[in-house]
Amino acid sequence: MSQEVKPYQADGSKKEQVAEMFDNISKRYDLLNHVLSLSIDKGWRKKVVKMVKARNPEMILDVATGTADLAIALEKSGAQAITGIDISNGMLEVGRKKVADKGLSKLITLKQADSENLPFADNTFDAITVAFGVRNFENLKQGLKEMYRVLKPGGHLVVLEFSQPQAFPMKQLYNFYFKNILPGIGKLISKDSRAYTYLPESVQAFPHGEAFMKIMGECQYKRGARIPLTFGIASIYEGIK
């Protein structure tokens, strides 16, 4: 794997820095997310929900839930209970308000927890989702193994993550936007200059496509679908226990 990328050029683990970064930008995160992705991310989440719903899950865990966008969208999966966990309490506070405003507090529970040390028993969940979160894990394999542990046999993990377009001219346009446009907009709105410089750096360093599917296989997942989205800007990965 590539060298670890941290949000800040300072002491402290990646985990600590990621939590600090998301606490810093939590109030502006949703606005930035939709502006920077031109709201394409909403369609990507709908595809994840459709995949999850097809397996009729009762219990869903949404890891790195952030402000709960995917957890809220998963209401349409028909699940009886949805749990969202995140390392950033600032993000969770925004998410809890959104959940309450939508009248979903009985269905969706949000709690602060570490994705690499999940506070759940083995074989608890029918499905686990992660949207734009695995890239921020300090130890990717440990996080994948923990999710495998708490999945029920036959359950599936669905990961939505940025990837890297390979074809001309999308590859060149994508790289220009990520390196030159996105950090400037992110700094202007979030007031955290590093948060949206870290984003393109972390995407470049993260294994995508077949490389990520291989790592999932090393963590015992049986191979499921791999779906490139919007010319490969993002991808959905599915693993089955």
Side-chain angles (χ1 to χ4, degrees), residues 138-190:
E138 186 168 76
N139 185 323
L140 176 59
K141 285 189 175 181
Q142 176 61 24
L144 288 170
K145 288 175 181 176
E146 268 293 273
M147 290 187 286
Y148 186 90
R149 178 183 67 79
V150 302
L151 265 180
K152 292 179 182 177
H156 69 146
L157 168 68
V158 182
V159 174
L160 170 61
E161 187 53 85
F162 286 114
S163 45
Q164 298 179 46
Q166 300 301 305
F168 177 87
M170 184 54 68
K171 179 178 180 179
Q172 287 73 18
L173 290 169
Y174 175 85
N175 287 336
F176 180 81
Y177 177 73
F178 250 42
K179 292 176 182 177
N180 299 289
I181 310 266
L182 184 148
I185 298 172
K187 180 180 179 181
L188 186 68
I189 299 177
S190 75

Side-chain angles (χ1 to χ4, degrees), residues 28-65:
R28 302 288 185 104
Y29 178 81
D30 284 341
L31 172 63
L32 271 165
N33 209 23
H34 301 319
V35 167
L36 294 173
S37 71
L38 309 176
S39 288
I40 299 171
D41 60 307
K42 294 178 182 178
W44 296 342
R45 286 187 182 85
K46 286 180 181 178
K47 289 184 182 295
V48 171
V49 172
K50 187 176 180 181
M51 287 177 68
V52 173
K53 183 178 180 179
R55 291 175 176 260
N56 300 310
E58 293 184 4
M59 302 274 290
I60 298 176
L61 175 64
D62 185 40
V63 171
T65 195

Side-chain angles (χ1 to χ4, degrees), residues 25 27 30 44 69 74 77 91 131 134 153 158 160 177 182-183 230:
I25 66 174
K27 298 292 190 292
D30 284 341
W44 296 342
D69 269 356
L74 284 164
S77 69
M91 295 285 275
V134 292
V158 182
L160 170 61
Y177 177 73
L182 184 148
T230 316

